[in-house]
Amino acid sequence: MTQGQGRAWIRRILVVGAMLLTLAFLAEVGTAATAEYRLSRELRAAAGLADDPEVTVGGFPYLTSGGRHSKLTIAVPAEIDGRNARLEAEFADVTIPGGLLPTFTPDTPIRAGHVESRVRLDQKTVGRYMDIVDLQVHTPAPKRPGAGSPADGYVKASKGIVLTGTVPLPTSADPKRTVLISVAADFSAIGDAIAVRATGIYTGPEDHAKADLLPGEEPTVLARFTHTLPAMALPFGVRPTGARGENADVVLLGEADGVTVTPGAFHRSLP
C-alpha cells in the first residue's frame, strides 16, 4: 500500500467514525426528545392545561440509562385563581418505567429521590393580589464577592426582600395623597398560601424609593405591604415548606424525599 493509499484509508475511517458518532448523537437526542414529548402531552391532558409543559430529562447518555436519570424538570404557564402563574417541578434521582421510549398514562409511576415543587408568580401578579398595581419585587443578592451575577441564576431569599410600590396615604388636606415607597419584607408559607410580612421601611443600599412620611404613617405603610395570598396547590400535591423571592418573582415551594408521582396528579385545585 502506497503512502497515498494509506492516507485515503485513514480518511475513510475518520469519515465513517464521524458518521457513526453523528448517528449515535441523533439517536440520543431523538430518543430523549420523544420521551419528553410523550410526558409533556400526557401532563397537559391530565391537568387540562392550555399549553404543553416544558419537560427536560437530564443525564447523559439517555440510551443506556435504563430509565434512571439524574434529573427531570417540568415547567408550564398556568392560570390560578384567574391570575397568571408558572407551575414547576424539579426531580432528582428519577426512575421512569417503560424503557427507552416510555408511553405515559395518567397512572404511570415516576419515582424520585427528591422533588422540589413550585408555583411561581411574577411581581405584577403579586401586586394585583395586594392591590398595589405598580409593585416591584427585588431580591437582594447575598453579601459576597460576585454574588448576583448571571452565573448565579435566580437570586433566592426569604427575608429582606425589597418591595416598592405606590400606596394611598390620604390626609384631610389631600384626600387623594399617595406615596411611592420601599419596604423590607419577609416571605413564608402559611398552610398552602404565601404570606408577605413587611418588617420596616427600606433604607439599605439596593435600589429603592424614598418618601417623606408624616408622623404615625409607618404602621399604615407596613400594613399595606403585608398580605396573605390565596391558597395555591403545588404540582403533584407536594405540601408547601416555604416561600421566597427569586429575582423579581415570588415563589411558593415544597420539597419531599422518596416520592412516587403520576402525570394525572400534576396539578389539581385545592378542595
Side-chain angles (χ1 to χ4, degrees), residues 92-176:
D93 300 325
V94 183
T95 301
I96 300 174
L100 293 178
L101 291 174
T103 299
F104 296 95
T105 71
D107 299 321
T108 298
I110 300 173
R111 299 177 178 84
H114 182 79
V115 60
E116 181 174 296
S117 186
R118 299 181 290 265
V119 174
R120 182 181 301 276
L121 306 174
D122 63 25
Q123 58 189 2
K124 184 176 181 179
T125 298
V126 177
R128 287 175 176 171
Y129 277 121
M130 299 175 66
D131 198 23
I132 302 176
V133 295
D134 60 345
L135 182 73
Q136 298 176 48
V137 178
H138 179 69
T139 307
K143 304 305 181 187
R144 57 180 175 79
S149 69
D152 287 339
Y154 283 114
V155 177
K156 305 172 184 179
S158 295
K159 297 183 180 298
I161 313 302
V162 182
L163 304 180
T164 302
T166 301
V167 297
L169 287 177
T171 65
S172 56
D174 186 1
K176 295 184 178 181

Side-chain angles (χ1 to χ4, degrees), residues 27-28 30-36 38 61-67 69 96-103:
E28 170 76 18
T31 306
T34 300
E36 292 167 350
R38 289 181 175 179
Y62 179 88
L63 291 174
T64 59
S65 65
H69 310 281
I96 300 174
L100 293 178
L101 291 174
T103 299

Side-chain angles (χ1 to χ4, degrees), residues 1-9:
M1 181 183 295
T2 65
Q3 185 176 10
Q5 290 174 326
R7 290 176 178 173
W9 273 105

Side-chain angles (χ1 to χ4, degrees), residues 126-263:
V126 177
R128 287 175 176 171
Y129 277 121
M130 299 175 66
D131 198 23
I132 302 176
V133 295
D134 60 345
L135 182 73
Q136 298 176 48
V137 178
H138 179 69
T139 307
K143 304 305 181 187
R144 57 180 175 79
S149 69
D152 287 339
Y154 283 114
V155 177
K156 305 172 184 179
S158 295
K159 297 183 180 298
I161 313 302
V162 182
L163 304 180
T164 302
T166 301
V167 297
L169 287 177
T171 65
S172 56
D174 186 1
K176 295 184 178 181
R177 175 173 171 256
T178 62
V179 298
L180 177 65
I181 195 167
S182 297
V183 303
D186 297 341
F187 296 155
S188 62
I190 297 180
D192 296 302
I194 298 171
V196 182
R197 184 175 66 90
T199 58
I201 305 300
Y202 185 78
T203 58
E206 307 293 339
D207 289 341
H208 63 283
K210 299 178 182 179
D212 293 325
L213 299 180
L214 300 175
E217 286 187 327
E218 181 173 333
T220 302
V221 170
L222 298 183
R224 290 289 306 182
F225 282 93
T226 297
H227 194 87
T228 299
L229 278 59
M232 302 176 193
L234 290 175
F236 297 108
V238 178
R239 303 304 302 173
T241 56
R244 66 191 180 208
E246 297 189 6
N247 291 7
D249 296 336
V250 179
V251 177
L252 178 69
L253 68 147
E255 297 186 76
D257 295 322
V259 299
T260 299
V261 303
T262 62

